[in-house]
Amino acid sequence: MTISIHDGVLVGYSVNFLENELLLDIETAADEIVTVTFENYLAHYFDHVMAGSILFDIEEIDLNTFFVENREQFESHKLYAWPIWYDDTNELEQYLQKNNYKCYVISASLGLTGYVFAKTQKIKRK
């Protein structure tokens, strides 16, 4: 059985840097609490973080496509060594690909949007 997070309300999120994971707790439209775990987590970028965020989807997107659309953002982040040290965005993109990172884009009907770089994603009921 597939668990849908569509129209789920974000209850909270946490990052465990020692375990390299980011967790999203979501109350689904079916009134279940599920946890989306991003394992082998590297970094995330969220906008519009607020209580009551209604998630639309979490989609794995091709890294090449992602960088075409977001290259300018990473050019501005490289001075801060985020998410790693890199001289140009091509180097960052190659690092992510070589190390098997994926990009998960979070879209919302209301509130939190952004993306996560991690190697895997799992969804389970609490």
Side-chain angles (χ1 to χ4, degrees):
M1 182 175 163
T2 303
I3 300 172
S4 174
I5 60 112
H6 179 74
D7 287 337
V9 176
L10 182 67
V11 176
Y13 76 92
S14 63
V15 178
N16 184 324
F17 293 110
L18 294 176
E19 297 291 327
N20 293 323
E21 64 182 18
L22 182 143
L23 297 106
L24 299 175
D25 290 323
I26 301 164
E27 183 178 356
T28 69
D31 293 326
E32 294 180 292
I33 301 292
V34 298
T35 299
V36 178
T37 303
F38 297 95
E39 298 174 328
N40 296 298
Y41 157 86
L42 177 67
H44 74 280
Y45 187 88
F46 292 160
D47 279 325
H48 314 295
V49 178
M50 61 182 252
S53 292
I54 300 172
L55 301 185
F56 180 76
D57 197 12
I58 300 174
E59 177 184 12
E60 181 183 334
I61 188 167
D62 175 71
L63 283 170
N64 292 330
T65 303
F66 180 79
F67 274 89
V68 165
E69 296 172 2
N70 296 282
R71 191 164 305 281
E72 189 174 298
Q73 179 186 31
F74 287 97
E75 283 296 326
S76 68
H77 290 314
K78 76 179 179 181
L79 296 174
Y80 304 100
W82 187 87
I84 62 166
W85 286 104
Y86 57 96
D87 291 322
D88 63 51
T89 56
N90 290 332
E91 181 183 349
L92 172 60
E93 185 178 354
Q94 289 170 4
Y95 172 86
L96 294 170
Q97 290 174 343
K98 178 181 171 191
N99 290 284
N100 300 311
Y101 283 101
K102 297 174 183 170
C103 181
Y104 299 95
V105 174
I106 300 168
S107 55
S109 303
L110 175 73
L112 186 140
T113 59
Y115 55 86
V116 177
F117 292 127
K119 293 187 180 180
T120 57
Q121 169 199 333
K122 294 183 180 174
I123 301 175
K124 58 184 167 181
R125 290 178 176 88
K126 277 197 151 188

